[in-house]
């Protein structure tokens, strides 16, 4: 379970990072600020922004922790990662772009192809994540929890 | 309109910072001389924090547009310097090296119910980020530009609230209660949100009563937004690292207890 959670958190953090870097800073498609008067939208954006960084940190530390305990199930982690990536993108594409309209993918162009592509990729990512998780739960996992937790070699 | 800090304030803060850093380095050296361990990294963190603080009040970015310059000062004085200074664990050092009567007083202070309330993460966050909202969303900033004393007071508050926030969220130095990881994470999330929302709203509309140029406003709010990200990320990383270390200690304890139990069972007839 922790493998999945770690993957989901890392996925959310990664998606938010890619969104910020590629679309805001490299392409300048949509921006830092788009519509600051929609209060709820602005707060949801801020919450998600702050949350995505914390999710990234929490996800990676949790990953280190499950590895240290020897209970990492890689396929579940990847499944979680794709769920996080797709979940973020779908939330961004539906709730933030369409529901609240706090920013759009791009301005001054016909949005429909962009929206379909954006949300389509999101759904695809979610499906991949779900398939990975289903397969992980069907096949008996190779990395079954060891009876003894793997302890760091430092002994006193 | 000028946002420059009053010169006596700059001189006072710079002097106090240099003296404080020297006192810290001396105390750390004395601690090592008597055989106690005190990582050199902490000395470096405090020295870096002092340098950032002095840079913050000296404002070497004199040619920057006024609101951007103000925001750079805010970032140095209220966020980055407090983070670095708190990472050096000054209170722990003081508790270990101060003369005994002073140490007794400090221990009583860190255990007292009322003195430790402001360092509780939610309280510290309210003082810090509530203060920021007050500064940028009421006429306080424009009024303080015409009153050197108020301007000084605002910057003292920014510094102290920043230190208090880092101190409370990181919980590195000993106080009455160490807040749990969940609480600290929620406070970081809330504070990060409040900061990001305020920064974004400044992009669209400057503080009431001020007339900064649009380009200045945009640059300043981005400095606040991304600078805040960097510091928040560092705070989160430190809290996560503490959690990871605590987990490792628990694992080792469990391992030792398991090994000890097994050995005891083996020796039993």
């Amino acid at each position: 379970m922790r493998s999945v959670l770690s993957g989901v958190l890392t996925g959310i953090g990664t998606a938010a990072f890619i969104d910020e870097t590629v679309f805001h800073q490299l392409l300048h498609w949509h921006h830092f600020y788009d519509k600051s008067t929609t209060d709820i939208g602005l707060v949801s954006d801020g919450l998600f922004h702050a949350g995505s960084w914390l999710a990234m940190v929490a996800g990676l530390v949790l990953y280190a922790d499950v590895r240290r305990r020897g209970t990492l199930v890689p396929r579940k982690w990847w499944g979680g990662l794709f769920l996080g990536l797709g979940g973020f993108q779908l939330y961004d594409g539906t709730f933030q772009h369409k529901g609240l309209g706090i920013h759009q993918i791009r301005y001054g162009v016909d949005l429909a192809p962009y929206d379909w592509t954006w949300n389509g990729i999101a759904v695809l990512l979610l499906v991949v994540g779900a398939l990975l998780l289903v397969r992980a739960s069907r096949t008996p996992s190779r990395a079954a929890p060891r009876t003894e937790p793997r302890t760091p070699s430092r002994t006193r | 309109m000028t946002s420059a800090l009053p010169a006596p304030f700059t001189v006072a803060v710079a002097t106090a910072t240099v003296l404080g850093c020297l006192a810290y380095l001396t105390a750390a050296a004395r601690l090592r001389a008597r055989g106690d361990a005190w990582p050199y990294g902490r000395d470096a963190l405090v020295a870096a924090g002092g340098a950032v603080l002095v840079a913050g009040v000296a404002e070497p970015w004199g040619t920057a547009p006024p609101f951007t310059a103000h925001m750079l000062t805010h970032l140095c004085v209220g966020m980055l310097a407090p983070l670095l200074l708190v990472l050096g664990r000054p209170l722990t050092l003081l508790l270990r090296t101060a003369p005994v009567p002073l140490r007794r007083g400090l221990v009583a202070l860190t255990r007292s119910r009322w003195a430790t309330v402001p360092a509780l993460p939610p309280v510290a966050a309210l003082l810090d980020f509530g203060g920021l909202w007050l500064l940028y969303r009421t006429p306080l900033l424009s009024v303080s530009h015409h009153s050197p004393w108020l301007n000084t007071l605002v910057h003292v508050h920014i510094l102290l609230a920043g230190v208090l926030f880092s101190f409370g969220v990181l919980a590195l130095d000993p106080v009455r209660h160490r807040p749990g990881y969940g609480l600290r994470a929620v406070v970081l999330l809330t504070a990060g949100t409040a900061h990001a929302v305020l920064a974004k709203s400044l992009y669209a509309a400057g503080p009431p009563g001020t007339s900064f140029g649009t380009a200045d406003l945009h640059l300043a709010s981005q400095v606040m937004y991304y600078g805040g990200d960097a510091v928040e990320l560092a705070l989160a990383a430190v809290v996560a690292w503490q959690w990871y270390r605590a987990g490792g200690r628990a694992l080792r304890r469990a391992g030792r207890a398991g090994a000890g139990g097994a050995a005891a069972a083996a020796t039993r007839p």
Side-chain angles (χ1 to χ4, degrees):
Chain A
M1 199 52 226
R2 276 196 171 185
S3 294
V4 181
L5 184 62
S6 160
V8 170
L9 290 171
T10 313
I12 293 174
T14 311
F17 179 74
I18 292 173
D19 184 36
E20 182 103 25
T21 316
V22 176
F23 294 100
H24 294 221
Q25 284 165 12
L26 295 177
L27 292 173
H28 289 268
W29 272 9
H30 58 241
H31 254 280
F32 173 72
Y33 152 79
D34 290 319
K35 195 178 174 188
S36 99
T37 42
T38 320
D39 294 338
I40 304 277
L42 191 60
V43 171
S44 93
D45 208 19
L47 192 67
F48 223 76
H49 179 75
S52 64
W53 281 124
L54 297 190
M56 178 70 108
V57 172
L60 292 177
V61 172
L62 215 53
Y63 177 82
D65 187 60
V66 265
R67 263 197 61 130
R68 168 173 74 182
R69 288 166 197 275
T71 54
L72 178 70
V73 186
R75 204 173 273 165
K76 286 192 176 177
W77 188 84
W78 283 105
L81 184 81
F82 278 101
L83 284 186
L85 286 170
F88 177 92
Q89 195 162 325
L90 196 62
Y91 160 84
D92 190 39
T94 52
F95 186 72
Q96 300 222 105
H97 293 183
K98 300 292 118 188
L100 293 165
I102 49 174
H103 62 253
Q104 300 295 344
I105 299 177
R106 223 179 152 169
Y107 294 94
V109 292
D110 178 20
L111 275 174
Y114 287 99
D115 281 336
W116 281 107
T117 313
W118 185 259
N119 292 323
I121 292 174
V123 171
L124 211 64
L125 288 167
L126 283 173
V127 169
V128 170
L131 283 177
L132 279 169
L133 280 183
V134 167
R135 274 187 59 187
S137 62
R138 277 198 192 144
T139 48
S141 80
R142 281 168 295 142
R146 297 173 193 174
T147 45
E148 295 254 326
R150 187 162 64 189
T151 52
S153 57
R154 196 196 306 173
T155 49
R156 298 181 39 177
Chain B
M1 182 193 322
T2 132
S3 66
L5 289 165
F9 173 74
T10 303
V11 173
V13 170
T15 314
T17 307
V18 171
L19 290 179
C21 286
L22 285 177
Y24 180 98
L25 296 177
T26 315
R30 276 184 49 197
L31 203 63
R32 291 193 190 97
R34 79 178 190 210
D36 285 13
W38 192 262
Y40 282 100
R42 291 183 192 163
D43 295 30
L45 284 166
V46 166
V52 170
L53 188 53
V54 170
V57 292
E59 302 180 285
W61 38 78
T63 52
F67 197 44
T68 305
H70 164 89
M71 207 51 91
L72 286 167
T73 302
H74 156 149
L75 201 62
C76 289
V77 173
M79 301 189 80
L80 191 53
L83 169 68
L84 293 166
L85 293 174
V86 168
L87 282 176
R89 305 186 192 209
L91 183 59
T92 307
L93 183 66
L94 199 57
L95 282 169
R96 284 210 209 159
T97 53
V100 174
L102 177 57
R103 221 181 291 182
R104 287 217 183 95
L106 275 175
V107 170
L109 195 67
T110 56
R111 293 219 179 120
S112 83
R113 192 183 296 265
W114 297 113
T116 49
V117 163
L120 292 174
V123 181
L126 192 67
L127 287 171
D128 196 356
F129 297 89
L132 277 188
W133 277 85
L134 219 58
L135 181 60
Y136 296 134
R137 282 292 160 245
T138 68
L140 182 58
L141 186 68
S142 77
V143 174
S144 79
H145 281 165
H146 303 294
S147 155
W149 279 110
L150 195 57
N151 197 6
T152 304
L153 203 65
V154 162
H155 280 86
V156 169
H157 175 84
I158 286 181
L159 171 65
L160 293 183
V163 169
L164 206 57
F165 181 70
S166 299
F167 183 87
V169 166
L170 296 183
L172 292 165
D173 284 318
V175 282
R176 199 156 180 272
H177 287 298
R178 173 165 296 189
Y181 294 105
L183 177 66
R184 285 147 72 186
V186 168
V187 165
L188 260 181
L189 179 64
T190 316
T193 306
H195 199 263
V197 170
L198 183 59
K200 277 204 178 190
S201 83
L202 283 175
Y203 191 96
T210 61
S211 51
F212 298 114
T214 310
D216 187 13
L217 215 53
H218 287 187
L219 188 58
S221 68
Q222 294 195 34
V223 165
M224 178 172 174
Y225 189 78
Y226 294 113
D229 273 3
V231 175
E232 196 203 353
L233 201 56
L235 286 167
V238 174
V239 172
W241 173 241
Q242 290 173 339
W243 176 83
Y244 185 77
R245 290 269 305 262
R249 283 196 294 273
L251 271 181
R252 279 200 295 278
R253 268 200 303 280
R256 270 207 299 281
T267 54
R268 225 172 278 145

